Each structure stands twice: as C-alpha cells, then as structure tokens.
Amino acid sequence: MSSTRNRRPSTNVTPNQTPLLQRRLKTKPALAVIAVLLLGNILWFISWLIPNKGQEIGSDEQVAAIDGDVITRQEWMIAMEERYGKETLQNLVNETVMEKAAKTYKIKVTDKEIDLELALMRSAQDKFDTAMQNLSAEQLRQKIRSQLILDKVLTKDVVIEEENVEKYYEENQGLYNTKTSYRTNFIEVDSKKAADEALGELKNGSDFTVLAREISVDSASASLGGDIGFLTENQENVDPAIINTVKSLKANEVSKAFKLDNGHYGIVQVQEVLEGQSFTYDDVKEHIERELALEQLPQSVTPEAFWSEFNATWYYGESKKEK
C-alpha cells in the first residue's frame, strides 16, 4: 500500500532449534493456506463458468469480441481447463485423500482445534498477508482441516518430551496471547473532495469493494476490493491514522474520511472484529507438540504421498507421485 505500505521421526528437540521453530509456529498456518488460496478462488470461478442445465460446454455462444473477433464459450472453457484445471482437480483429490486418511488412521480434527489454528494464524500473519482474503469461512476451515489431518498422520508416532513442550511455551508465550484484530477494507484517494464524493456514493448504496476497485489509488489493495487483511493495534508499517480509525469502528461500519501521512485521504470499512485471546498451556499443548514433531521430520510431505495408498486416479494420469 502506498500509505500503509518419507519422513523419519526422532524423539528429541535440541535447544538450538528454537529460533527456527518460532518462525515455523508463527508462519506455518498462513503459508499452508496461501498455497491453496489461489486454487480455492479458481474453483469458485470455474463453478461459476459451468453452463446452465441444457447448455453444452462446447457451445459457440459468444463470451467476448475484440474488433469483431469472437471468443466463444468453448474457447474460454478450454483455456480455463488448460491453465487451472490440473491444479484445481489436484486440490480436490488431496482434500478427499486426507478425509480417507483421517478415517483409516482414526484421526480426529475438532472445531476447537480449527478455531485455535485460525486464531494463531490471524495473530501471526504479516500486515498484508493475503492468506485469508477471498476465501469464505467455510473454505478456510476446510483448508485448515485438511492440513491438520496431514500433520497428525505424519506425527502420530513421533514422541516429544513434555519438558520440551513446556519450555517452548514458557519462552514463546507472546505467540499465544493474541491481540484484537480488525479485518479491514480500505480506500485511498488523493483529496478530501474525492473522499467526500466516495462517502456520498457509499451512503447511496454503492458497494465498498466495488468502489475500492474503481477509485482507490492504492493499487495493491484496490485489486482485492480494498481488503488489507487483519490489522492490530501498534502494527508496524501501517499508517497510524488507519489503526486509530478502525479501533473506533464496529463490524460492518464505514469510517469518515481521514488524512493519511502521505497527504492523501482514506476511508475504511471494518468487516469483522476478532477479540484478543490468551491461550493457556493446556489450550496449545497438542499444537506445540505437533509443530515440534513436524520440525523433527527431515523432509516435507504433501497429500500426494498418500494417493497410491488410497488408489487415487485422475484425469491427468493413473496416479500422482510426490516428487
């Protein structure tokens, strides 16, 4: 923004691993979701493209024209499949394989565990992390569920000494005391007049995200409908005027125009307010054990490693083996 700007387990955790573990605990949930964010959006888009009942995909229906050159629905769909179809199908197969693995290995993932991962993700994400942007709550929870199943399967036989878990919790309690955060949409314009005009449009029923795409001079957030993620108090590299304004708003409220440090004017909309939380040792014990266990595994494993076990086949071949 211009103004804000397979695996082989071992049983012990050595002290000199703590910095790496801290980085993993702070970033891993968000990174896991980033990996599937694009796929979730593509899946939604492709489902939107599917023709109505009775209309064939191979239709010659015109979907665009440039100087008289027509692009047909058939050409459109073929291009979508070639560019995104493989990734999207792979994501669907992976999610199904993980559900099969949960049943086979008697793995349970509770809503409480997903809630914890969400809370930790929101507190640890960088200020413009797009991990959760453009994913519905249901999509996000499913992504986290699949990742938790995979992690639990991989670490089910790894033993972590409780003293190591306790030590890590004591040394990193800041990770488990989350601040109140505000999921925020933002519009930046270059004058007070433009800001007042934008507020008038919003008052007359214009959609904030649509307006952000149309008029915001902050290109990074404008492309996302103004979404700048979850902001917390005292967040670095974010204009203090934005933080001070969102703190005064409730969910779904739109601010008045306010001046930014760069001389421009901003308007914010708070989508959601997540109250800060403090997690006890008992709350996060299993989470820490699992993360420490994952650090003991020498190589990254993805759901594709389980495809052959569950006889997964797909359009692009008999099976997919992990590289």
Side-chain angles (χ1 to χ4, degrees):
M1 290 173 54
S2 58
S3 62
T4 64
R5 283 233 328 74
N6 289 236
R7 299 191 179 193
R8 189 180 335 123
S10 59
T11 57
N12 296 313
V13 177
T14 57
N16 62 4
Q17 289 175 295
T18 300
L20 176 61
L21 293 173
Q22 182 171 352
R23 290 196 298 273
R24 180 183 178 91
L25 276 167
K26 293 179 73 176
T27 63
K28 176 185 172 293
L31 291 175
V33 178
I34 289 173
V36 295
L37 172 62
L38 179 60
L39 297 182
N41 291 333
I42 291 168
L43 179 60
W44 172 86
F45 188 50
I46 289 176
S47 68
W48 176 75
L49 293 178
I50 294 176
N52 295 329
K53 185 176 180 181
Q55 183 179 34
E56 297 181 0
I57 292 180
S59 167
D60 289 333
E61 174 193 359
Q62 176 180 322
V63 293
I66 305 92
D67 284 339
D69 292 332
V70 171
I71 298 175
T72 67
R73 176 178 288 276
Q74 180 182 22
E75 292 171 327
W76 189 20
M77 294 299 292
I78 289 173
M80 287 292 293
E81 195 282 327
E82 288 178 347
R83 295 179 187 180
Y84 309 118
K86 189 172 184 178
E87 291 177 306
T88 303
L89 181 57
Q90 181 179 339
N91 188 46
L92 288 171
V93 175
N94 283 342
E95 289 186 0
T96 305
V97 165
M98 285 297 94
E99 292 300 327
K100 294 284 187 182
K103 293 180 180 179
T104 299
Y105 294 103
K106 297 179 171 56
I107 298 295
K108 293 184 178 180
V109 174
T110 66
D111 287 341
K112 185 176 180 180
E113 289 175 304
I114 295 175
D115 290 340
L116 174 62
E117 295 296 323
L118 275 170
L120 294 177
M121 182 194 309
R122 284 161 173 159
S123 67
Q125 69 168 352
D126 293 334
K127 55 189 175 301
F128 302 134
D129 188 351
T130 59
M132 291 179 289
Q133 296 173 9
N134 298 328
L135 275 181
S136 70
E138 182 179 354
Q139 289 173 327
L140 181 57
R141 293 182 73 85
Q142 180 58 48
K143 302 306 178 187
I144 293 174
R145 173 179 168 79
S146 293
Q147 185 63 45
L148 281 172
I149 292 171
L150 176 62
D151 291 349
K152 287 188 175 189
V153 170
L154 296 174
T155 61
K156 61 186 179 66
D157 296 323
V158 181
V159 177
I160 299 295
E161 299 295 334
E162 185 163 0
E163 63 184 49
N164 290 322
V165 180
E166 292 175 346
K167 179 181 179 181
Y168 191 87
Y169 177 77
E170 291 299 324
E171 292 178 349
N172 298 278
Q173 287 194 36
L175 296 175
Y176 308 113
N177 291 283
T178 65
K179 300 177 181 178
T180 298
S181 58
Y182 307 82
R183 186 167 186 176
T184 305
N185 285 342
F186 174 66
I187 291 175
E188 179 178 343
V189 291
D190 56 12
S191 68
K192 180 66 163 58
K193 179 181 178 181
D196 289 338
E197 290 175 352
L199 285 171
E201 291 190 45
L202 292 171
K203 186 176 181 180
N204 289 330
S206 292
D207 182 85
F208 196 102
T209 59
V210 173
L211 193 61
R213 288 190 175 95
E214 291 177 350
I215 71 168
S216 183
V217 299
D218 178 57
S219 57
S221 63
S223 64
L224 298 170
D227 195 339
I228 55 175
F230 287 86
L231 304 182
T232 58
E233 188 175 2
N234 300 323
Q235 190 164 321
E236 296 181 359
N237 300 321
V238 176
D239 192 315
I242 296 176
I243 301 295
N244 290 334
T245 302
V246 298
K247 285 167 52 181
S248 66
L249 300 177
K250 297 178 181 178
N252 299 316
E253 281 190 333
V254 176
S255 74
K256 297 179 181 179
F258 56 91
K259 194 169 185 177
L260 301 166
D261 281 347
N262 64 0
H264 287 181
Y265 283 80
I267 302 168
V268 292
Q269 177 191 51
V270 171
Q271 300 180 55
E272 184 181 4
V273 179
L274 299 172
E275 297 297 333
Q277 294 176 271
S278 293
F279 296 99
T280 66
Y281 174 75
D282 288 337
D283 290 332
V284 298
K285 178 182 176 182
E286 290 185 8
H287 168 87
I288 296 174
E289 286 177 342
R290 187 168 58 252
E291 296 298 331
L292 295 179
L294 286 169
E295 290 294 341
Q296 294 300 310
L297 307 180
Q299 152 183 345
S300 177
V301 176
T302 64
E304 285 84 356
F306 294 85
W307 281 32
S308 59
E309 180 176 349
F310 296 104
N311 300 314
T313 60
W314 65 335
Y315 177 79
Y316 297 94
E318 287 302 311
S319 63
K320 182 177 177 63
K321 294 183 180 180
E322 186 178 32
K323 295 181 180 180

